[in-house]
Amino acid sequence: MTINQKRAPLYEALYQFSQGEPISFHVPGHKNGKIFSRQGEALFKHVLSLDVTELTGLDDLHEPTGVIHEAQQLSSDWFGADDTFFLVGGSTVGNLAMILSTSSRGDKVIVQRNCHKSILNGLELAGVKPIFVASIFQKDRNRYVGPSVDQVIKAIKEHPEAKSVILTYPDYFGMVFPLEEIIRIAHSVQMPVLIDEAHGVHFSTHPIFPKSSLELGADIVIQSAHKMAPAMTMGAYLHVRSSLVVKENIAYYLQLLQSSSPSYPILASLDLARHFLANQKVEVIHDVHKSVKKVKNILSNGLFWNILESDDPLKIILQVNKGYNGREVAYLFEQEKIYPELSTHDQLLFIHGLEPFENWSFLSNAIDNIVERLKLMPNHATIEEIQIPQESIQMLRFSYDDMKNKAVTLRSLDRSIGCVAAEAVVPYPPGIPLIVKGEVVTETHIKAIHFLLDKEINFQNRNIKQGFKTFK
């Protein structure tokens, strides 16, 4: 097959099919966009005509031989993979599949401690024994960043029988770490490196961005196409470039985990997202870089925050001055119709797009309005920051299999100290557990929960103020 990155074969086939005015006696029930609530006409009028099923000429995601296969091959060529799988369940389903396909129950795996909750869910489903490597707390950023490279290498050398190393690169805020050395050491003992690169789909486009972990030698790489590239939400890629993993195992678990009726609009958006990245002109990336600098210049007029640099120039981080609440500042931005990606108790994250921003006067006026409102807000007494002491290399108190058979009780926050957590405690966003299931709860953990609740941070634990589940 000739590789032509100007094509978007899956989207082209869907569009041509819809233009033929086909008569539907098949699912979905909207019948090529003929049946739907007229209340949603703005949403459904065009999208539903492309929302079809596995008809002749439109291929099958779970056994692709036609246009989906061609679209995936174009993606693997562009990203530099041996094989690329399209995902319609987000990076989450990719993380689950890569763990399940590379390990068996009882196997050891080396894992970065501040990973996304989907990684921890994959570990539990696989029934493996995680060896957690602590993340590094950077005082100048006031948060945890990547793992200690030395500690990851130490874990590899101490546990050469481990089936994989699982890392997050970059983190939510666009920060990376020296990954290449870890990959080299892991490969020296035939250990594959699996990367959650949800926020790095655009790294292959230009040298202003960090190198993709795929280019650095990782074996399996998961990318959320919808986070940084123009794909629909839940669209993601799973890339494989390795002799250490079995492609057929990955395909098997994706069939188990993904819907048997995958969304064709999401699949088409993955085809088009690759097309967008592959055909973006260098001068546009340069214009984007200039646009980022201009956005930062305007934001720097704010008197109540500082701008932190990121390894990914598209990630713009505001560090809110002490005495002010990041959530309250984010609310003021939202009142001006400007919506950040996330806010913590002291930081806001803005994500610039892959084309230049244009609405400069609106942004400038909004910053002026926010500053004026903040001048009228009281400066609260600063609450001492909480750091969670972490063992450099740590294992869970109980195995996942053992946890299945243990009795569980709901304890109040203060009464849970010294107990073993029976559920993860997850501030969201960014979805990185403060406490993982199977970990001993410490007094510092509980202080951190109270601290975050005081700052009005959301948790994915419905009744966290009353407590959470622990083992008896």
Side-chain angles (χ1 to χ4, degrees):
M1 183 191 73
T2 302
I3 298 295
N4 179 5
Q5 291 293 345
K6 296 290 185 182
R7 291 202 57 213
L10 176 55
Y11 171 75
E12 292 163 8
L14 289 170
Y15 180 77
Q16 290 171 8
F17 180 82
S18 69
Q19 292 302 294
E21 300 184 357
I23 303 299
S24 170
F25 281 96
H26 55 76
V27 297
H30 55 68
K31 303 301 179 184
N32 297 331
K34 301 294 192 298
I35 302 173
F36 59 88
S37 169
R38 300 300 151 177
Q39 183 74 12
E41 186 163 359
L43 169 64
F44 290 136
K45 187 173 182 180
H46 300 294
V47 173
L48 293 189
S49 67
L50 303 181
D51 184 31
V52 292
T53 188
E54 292 87 349
L55 303 176
T56 301
L58 298 182
D59 213 356
D60 181 348
L61 177 64
H62 297 298
E63 193 61 46
T65 58
V67 290
I68 294 177
H69 174 70
E70 185 180 354
Q72 290 185 154
Q73 281 193 313
L74 284 165
S75 294
S76 62
D77 174 73
W78 162 248
F79 288 104
D82 294 334
D83 295 281
T84 293
F85 295 86
F86 282 2
L87 309 177
V88 294
S91 286
T92 291
V93 76
N95 286 336
L96 299 180
M98 76 175 180
I99 294 170
L100 289 165
S101 64
T102 54
S103 57
S104 300
R105 187 164 298 278
D107 285 343
K108 289 182 180 179
V109 295
I110 297 167
V111 189
Q112 176 178 335
R113 170 59 181 82
N114 60 335
C115 59
H116 189 263
K117 64 175 186 173
S118 61
I119 295 289
L120 295 170
N121 292 339
L123 301 176
E124 183 171 355
L125 287 173
V128 297
K129 296 178 180 177
I131 300 161
F132 290 111
V133 179
S135 49
I136 298 171
F137 187 84
Q138 281 192 351
K139 289 187 177 181
D140 58 336
R141 293 182 176 275
N142 203 30
R143 62 181 179 83
Y144 289 91
V145 290
S148 163
V149 173
D150 290 341
Q151 291 302 321
V152 175
I153 292 173
K154 180 182 178 185
I156 293 170
K157 292 180 176 179
E158 290 181 352
H159 302 275
E161 73 281 12
K163 295 300 181 181
S164 65
V165 179
I166 305 171
L167 303 171
T168 303
Y169 172 104
D171 68 9
Y172 211 132
F173 292 82
M175 302 302 293
V176 297
F177 53 90
L179 177 62
E180 204 162 9
E181 178 66 5
I182 293 174
I183 293 173
R184 185 184 67 81
I185 298 296
H187 284 177
S188 72
V189 293
Q190 300 297 295
M191 192 183 298
V193 179
L194 318 181
I195 302 295
D196 177 358
E197 194 174 279
H199 286 265
V201 70
H202 57 302
F203 282 3
S204 300
T205 58
H206 194 277
I208 68 168
F209 303 117
K211 288 184 178 180
S212 167
S213 56
L214 199 62
E215 184 180 352
L216 296 175
D219 297 88
I220 303 178
V221 176
I222 312 297
Q223 295 174 332
S224 286
H226 68 93
K227 283 186 168 66
M228 302 300 294
M232 291 180 68
T233 298
M234 294 179 71
Y237 304 111
L238 186 156
H239 304 295
V240 183
R241 190 171 74 177
S242 177
S243 61
L244 300 177
V245 300
V246 181
K247 169 192 167 185
E248 288 73 19
N249 289 349
I250 298 169
Y252 169 77
Y253 279 102
L254 286 176
Q255 287 194 43
L256 261 62
L257 297 168
Q258 295 212 95
S259 171
S260 58
S261 301
S263 164
Y264 269 83
I266 293 177
L267 293 173
S269 78
L270 288 169
D271 193 19
L272 290 170
R274 182 273 314 158
H275 181 273
F276 175 88
L277 296 173
N279 292 284
Q280 195 171 39
K281 295 180 179 178
V282 172
E283 52 266 30
V284 174
I285 295 292
H286 290 157
D287 289 341
V288 168
H289 205 197
K290 293 176 183 176
S291 178
V292 169
K293 291 179 179 179
K294 190 170 180 179
V295 170
K296 288 182 177 180
N297 285 336
I298 293 174
L299 288 172
S300 66
N301 292 326
L303 306 176
F304 297 89
W305 54 72
N306 297 309
I307 297 177
L308 301 180
E309 293 301 316
S310 172
D311 294 323
D312 180 357
L314 299 187
K315 299 294 181 76
I316 302 171
I317 308 164
L318 300 190
Q319 175 73 51
V320 176
N321 292 352
K322 288 188 176 182
Y324 292 91
N325 188 324
R327 293 300 294 263
E328 292 176 352
V329 175
Y331 176 76
L332 295 180
F333 272 94
E334 291 174 356
Q335 292 298 295
E336 297 293 328
K337 305 301 181 185
I338 296 173
Y339 295 86
E341 167 64 17
L342 68 81
S343 59
T344 69
H345 65 282
D346 66 344
Q347 292 182 359
L348 279 70
L349 173 64
F350 296 81
I351 300 180
H352 195 289
L354 281 168
E355 289 190 349
F357 182 75
E358 295 180 348
N359 207 343
W360 300 112
S361 60
F362 185 92
L363 180 61
S364 295
N365 291 335
I367 297 303
D368 290 342
N369 293 340
I370 292 167
V371 168
E372 290 305 312
R373 292 186 65 179
L374 282 170
K375 287 178 180 177
L376 301 176
M377 292 178 64
N379 186 312
H380 303 290
T382 301
I383 301 175
E384 184 180 353
E385 289 294 340
I386 301 293
Q387 294 184 37
I388 308 298
Q390 300 180 19
E391 297 178 38
S392 57
I393 298 175
Q394 172 192 3
M395 298 184 73
L396 298 178
R397 176 61 62 89
F398 305 128
S399 72
Y400 289 119
D401 282 345
D402 288 341
M403 285 187 258
K404 288 181 180 179
N405 301 315
K406 288 188 174 295
V408 173
T409 187
L410 180 68
R411 285 190 171 90
S412 66
L413 292 176
D414 294 333
R415 290 186 59 216
S416 66
I417 297 171
C419 299
V420 176
E423 63 175 324
V425 176
V426 187
Y428 195 87
I432 297 170
L434 178 66
I435 303 171
V436 301
K437 183 177 179 179
E439 185 175 33
V440 176
V441 181
T442 67
E443 183 178 358
T444 308
H445 283 135
I446 301 307
K447 285 183 179 179
I449 293 172
H450 285 305
F451 173 81
L452 294 173
L453 287 173
D454 182 72
K455 294 288 188 177
E456 300 180 346
I457 299 300
N458 293 323
F459 281 78
Q460 290 189 326
N461 303 77
R462 184 174 300 175
N463 299 312
I464 189 64
K465 291 183 180 179
Q466 283 71 49
F468 58 94
K469 295 175 183 177
T470 63
F471 291 112
K472 288 186 178 179

